[in-house]
Structures are given as C-alpha cells and as structure tokens.
Amino acid sequence: MRLFAAVVPPPAQLAELAREADRLAHLPDADRLRWTSRPGWHFTLAFMGEVDEELLPDLRARLGRAAHRTAPFPLRLHGGGHFGRAVLWTGAAGDLDELRLLAERADAAARRAGVPMDEHRRYQAHLTVARARGRTRADEVDLRPFVDALAGFEGTRWQVEELALIRSNLPGGGTPGAQSRYETVASWPLGAPG
C-alpha cells in the first residue's frame, strides 16, 4: 500500500483554509489549476511510497515510538509559496522546529522498519492547495499572484497532538481531474506511550 506519515489540521483550521482557497479560485488563471481535494489536506512528514504489508507491524511500532518521543506543539496555517510553476501551497507557523523533528523521526522510523525512502532532505512544511493541470511548459501558470494573495493568510493556532499514517489510494480509470483519496490507517497521540 502507498503510505505517508502526516499531521492533519483540525476541521476548524481546514475550514479557514477552504475559505481562502475559495477566494483564490476567483483570481485570473485559477481555472488552469487543479485544486486539491479538501478532505485530503495534510502536512506530509515522510512519504514512503509503496510499503510491503509485512513491514507494517514494525513500521507502526516505530511510528508509535516517534510520536511518544514528541511533545504536542502549537502550529497554524500561514502564508503561501510555490514549487516552480507546478505546486501552490500554504505553509505553517508556530513550533516549526518540533514539526521538523517529528518529520525526521517519522522518516527514521520508516527507514529502520525497512521502507526504502528517497534521499533525506531538509523538511519544508507545506500543505498543497493546487497544482498546474498539465505537464508541459504551455500548461505552466504564474503562481506569484496566488502566493501574493496568500501572503496575509493567518490561520488560527491549534495544538498538534497526533501523528497519522495515511494510505493514498490513487485514482483509477484514467478519469481526467480525478484525485487521490486518503484514509488514515493508524494514528498515535504525541507525548503518550506508543
């Protein structure tokens, strides 16, 4: 199964972001973006890709220990940015050091459980809001106006209290615009025995 570790903002904070995304959807060229599915909004901590089922018991135990070693911490949705001309995202503010530490612990847990992980790089907190629709240069969109519009976005602070293991179900059938569906397969409270 295709898995990743994540922090999922609470419903009230996701509703704030939804209102902001609705505002962005009225900007010029917004129709050239594929807006991400709101039920799937999350901060990916460690993307694992396809994970063999026999690794799951050890992976779950190790992620539980990673959660146990991490105290709850404050976070809020904040501002925005982009990766090239392909991805528009909102960022995070608050205890980013603790968020990075949780990401590093989730990555290490996956590696120690035998999950082949991509090359380790410094974690950058981002929640993807939209992607360019196509894959060619002609499909590229100047995301700067969207980033500028997100610059003043400040979500309400919440306490991150859980690490989630999420399964990504890829869309089938080649339906244009279809998006992955996400389901939480396990979660662990932060700072509590795993």
Side-chain angles (χ1 to χ4, degrees):
M1 61 182 71
R2 192 174 161 89
L3 298 173
F4 59 89
V7 164
V8 179
Q13 282 70 17
L14 293 176
E16 291 173 344
L17 180 58
R19 287 189 293 277
E20 192 69 13
D22 287 344
R23 189 175 67 81
L24 296 174
H26 295 295
L27 294 176
D29 287 334
D31 60 332
R32 296 180 58 205
L33 297 173
R34 184 170 40 93
W35 299 88
T36 55
S37 173
R38 293 173 184 191
W41 280 345
H42 61 270
F43 287 100
T44 299
L45 299 175
F47 181 75
M48 299 165 206
E50 290 295 330
V51 176
D52 291 331
E53 295 238 8
E54 67 264 11
L55 299 179
L56 282 179
D58 192 30
L59 176 62
R60 286 175 187 247
R62 290 177 183 280
L63 286 171
R65 287 194 293 273
H68 172 65
R69 289 193 318 265
T70 308
F73 57 92
L75 205 65
R76 73 180 190 277
L77 298 169
H78 167 77
H82 62 95
F83 297 129
R85 290 179 170 241
V87 177
L88 175 68
W89 49 264
T90 189
D95 196 341
L96 296 181
D97 288 339
E98 202 66 23
L99 182 63
R100 281 188 201 99
L101 181 60
L102 183 58
E104 289 170 7
R105 287 176 172 161
D107 183 89
R111 288 175 193 281
R112 290 184 183 122
V115 177
M117 301 290 287
D118 286 339
E119 179 183 327
H120 184 72
R121 57 193 123 174
R122 184 160 169 80
Y123 179 74
Q124 178 171 352
H126 69 281
L127 186 157
T128 301
V129 176
R131 290 185 175 87
R133 285 193 178 272
R135 302 276 183 216
T136 68
R137 280 194 78 60
D139 297 319
E140 291 179 350
V141 177
D142 182 1
L143 296 175
R144 289 175 297 184
F146 297 92
V147 173
D148 291 345
L150 275 170
F153 175 58
E154 291 291 338
T156 305
R157 185 183 138 192
W158 84 93
Q159 194 76 354
V160 176
E161 296 180 342
E162 185 176 85
L163 169 64
L165 180 62
I166 298 178
R167 180 179 185 171
S168 173
N169 299 295
L170 297 175
T175 306
Q179 297 187 22
S180 296
R181 289 178 294 103
Y182 302 109
E183 65 178 294
T184 301
V185 295
S187 62
W188 302 268
L190 298 187

